Each structure stands twice: as C-alpha cells, then as structure tokens.
C-alpha cells in the first residue's frame, strides 16, 4: 500500500518541541496550505490548516530552523489518530508524520520578508533511514568567484 503526502505552506506558529519520557524529540506544528483553486463565484481561495508532527532529528531540525510564517515543504505519510476528549467522546485527528522537511524559500527571501513566489529550495533534512530518499538532494551552490567564462567557440558544440 502507498501512503505518501507532500504539502507546502507557511507555519501558523512556531513549532513546539517536546520530549517523550525516554527523551525522544517530537515537534508539532501546523501548516497553512492554500488550495490550488478558488470557488466558482470568484471568491477567495480557501486555506487548509494541516497538523504535522516530526520525530527525532527531523523534529529538532524543524524546531531550530523554522518559525511562524516560514515557508515549509513536508513530505511524509498521513496518519489518523484516535483519542478520547475530556468528556469521554471518541475523536479522530488526521496529521502528517514528516519523513523529510525542506525549506520552501531561500534564506535571502525569508530574511527580506518577501513572501512572493519563490523557487523550491531543495535544502532539506531527513531522518536517517535505510532506504534512499528522493528529492532531498541539492548540490551546494558555488560562490560566484568559482565560475569561469567560456570561450565563444560555438563550433565545438554538438548541436
């Protein structure tokens, strides 16, 4: 069976980092995700507020590097949790359990307060796992001084 979800949006509040009784880190946070389409009457697009949880190193990473308003990309699985409220009523909650977390905007854009359309950053942290992760690798950007000018000899090009 396949249970994989990817969401991109902004944090509604700072992540909350807690520890289990055995000291395992767990971060809880909510991501505001705009829907791709608006209502038929031309009104405003709706926003979904999706609860997420990240465990161990991924949770510590989220807590350390993300704050309210940060653009975040979360890749993981959807989990339905059953619980009982204070009145004894049975409840169900859906949440995304994060396997990989990515920056949704460059640090430069975040620092300037620019919330326009930014390219998918590719910077990520994922908890160690035996299976390789796809989409989480990005070659580090080289400083501008490492680039060299190419000769204008188009005769050597294969096309």
């Amino acid at each position: 069976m396949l249970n994989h979800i990817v969401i991109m949006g902004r944090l509604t509040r700072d992540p909350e980092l807690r520890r289990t009784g055995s000291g395992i880190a767990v971060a809880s946070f909510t991501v505001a995700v705009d829907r791709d389409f608006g209502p038929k009457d031309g009104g405003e697009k709706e926003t979904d507020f999706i609860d997420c949880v990240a465990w161990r190193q991924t949770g510590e990473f989220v807590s350390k590097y993300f704050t309210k308003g940060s653009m975040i990309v979360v890749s993981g699985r959807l989990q339905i949790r059953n619980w009982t409220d204070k009145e004894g009523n049975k409840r169900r909650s859906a949440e995304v359990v994060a396997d990989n977390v990515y920056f949704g905007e460059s640090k430069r854009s975040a620092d300037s307060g620019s919330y326009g359309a930014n390219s998918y950053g590719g910077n990520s942290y994922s908890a160690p796992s035996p299976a390789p992760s796809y989409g989480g690798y990005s070659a580090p950007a080289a400083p501008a001084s490492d680039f060299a000018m190419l000769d204008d000899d188009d005769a050597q090009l294969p096309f």
Side-chain angles (χ1 to χ4, degrees), residues 59-142:
E60 291 174 352
F61 175 78
V62 169
S63 176
K64 184 174 181 181
Y65 292 105
F66 289 89
T67 58
K68 178 180 179 179
S70 298
M71 180 70 76
I72 189 170
V73 180
V74 179
S75 171
R77 62 187 167 84
L78 184 63
Q79 177 175 290
I80 307 298
R81 192 167 39 90
N82 296 313
W83 53 283
T84 306
D85 66 12
K86 293 177 183 176
E87 288 83 39
N89 299 318
K90 294 188 185 238
R91 301 282 200 179
R92 292 174 59 121
S93 296
E95 61 190 5
V96 174
V97 178
D99 293 326
N100 297 294
V101 173
Y102 306 86
F103 292 106
E105 63 191 345
S106 67
K107 180 158 176 50
R108 183 178 26 188
S109 296
D111 288 345
S112 69
S114 170
Y115 292 120
N118 294 304
S119 64
Y120 178 66
N123 300 319
S124 69
Y125 179 84
S126 57
S129 65
S133 173
Y134 64 92
Y137 175 75
S138 175

Side-chain angles (χ1 to χ4, degrees), residues 17-31:
L17 183 67
R18 296 182 314 267
R19 300 221 177 248
T20 64
S22 57
I24 297 172
V26 57
S28 300
F29 53 98
T30 302
V31 180

